[in-house]
Amino acid sequence: MSSNNYEPYLLLGLLTITILACSISGTMGSALHGPCDNDDACGTIDTECQNGVCVCRENFTVLYDSCVPMAESRVHCTKKNDCHKVLGVKSTCTKKNQCVCKQFHHLHLGQCVKNRDLHETCDHDHQCYCGVDCQLKIACIHKNCSCKAGHSPYKSRRCISDQQLNSVIEEPRTEEFNLLMQNDGVPRTSIDCYSFSIFLILTILY
Ligand SMILES: *[C@@H]1O[C@H](CO)[C@@H](O)[C@H](O)[C@H]1NC(C)=O
Ligand SMILES: *[C@@H]1O[C@H](CO)[C@@H](O)[C@H](O)[C@H]1NC(C)=O
């Protein structure tokens, strides 16, 4: 059998993965360094909107595609062991010689603790994490990281106060934000996501 027989299936499979991946990234909000018109438009935890771009909040820094907390007293390091004394074993040393928590960890009493996302199991409130601005809105309720009373899940991973939820829905879009969108309200980044992935698939196949 020639390998050509597999190509239509391979193509179909790759296209399905592309559509799923691109649409999931779209519903999660704008990625780190993606376009935004307010902080809520940024989907990555611990990012904020600055000059129309999602960037890491103050005291956070980029590690791969996440924003991770830096040590409160800026510790200079050359290897991760330098950081373990300060932040615990779930820390690492960045290329810029800063001690930070590893990806998907947050600071609790000065130590890096693994994040339990909204609706993950938990034993203590401090394990539940939905961003530094969200810390007071989430708690471990019946061993389930849940939004506290008066708050609701927002964009699948965060908790937002019920009043804020209403204002976010009604908030008008700024002109700057509209410029970053196509006419139908699909962010340019997700159009780029589709076109880049399809380009990649075609390059691999032909
Ligand atoms: C950032 O860290 C500095 C030094 O620890 C602190 O003084 C400042 O309040 C922090 N900023 C925020 C927004 O937490
Ligand atoms: C936590 O609660 C949510 C909402 O009730 C539920 O969908 C989810 O499955 C629960 N998670 C666990 C780990 O029990």
Side-chain angles (χ1 to χ4, degrees), residues 119-121 142-146:
H119 298 147
E120 279 192 303
T121 58
H142 305 303
K143 293 192 173 263
N144 186 326
C145 288
S146 311

Side-chain angles (χ1 to χ4, degrees), residues 48 57-60 70-74 132:
E48 63 186 10
R57 284 174 183 278
E58 198 184 329
N59 296 338
F60 285 81
M70 294 188 276
E72 271 163 36
S73 50
R74 297 294 145 78
V132 73

Side-chain angles (χ1 to χ4, degrees), residues 33-106:
H33 302 135
C36 54
D37 71 338
N38 61 53
D39 294 348
D40 288 322
C42 297
T44 303
I45 279 180
D46 292 320
T47 53
E48 63 186 10
C49 191
Q50 269 180 31
N51 305 320
V53 179
C54 295
V55 296
C56 291
R57 284 174 183 278
E58 198 184 329
N59 296 338
F60 285 81
T61 191
V62 178
L63 187 65
Y64 307 107
D65 54 353
S66 303
C67 294
V68 290
M70 294 188 276
E72 271 163 36
S73 50
R74 297 294 145 78
V75 186
H76 186 272
C77 54
T78 52
K79 53 189 193 306
K80 64 181 179 185
N81 276 349
D82 300 338
C83 303
H84 289 180
K85 288 167 239 158
V86 187
L87 294 176
V89 292
K90 299 296 184 186
S91 61
T92 191
C93 182
T94 67
K95 283 177 189 150
K96 290 183 182 166
N97 306 106
Q98 298 160 310
C99 282
V100 298
C101 289
K102 287 183 177 178
Q103 271 190 302
F104 317 115
H105 288 75
H106 64 277

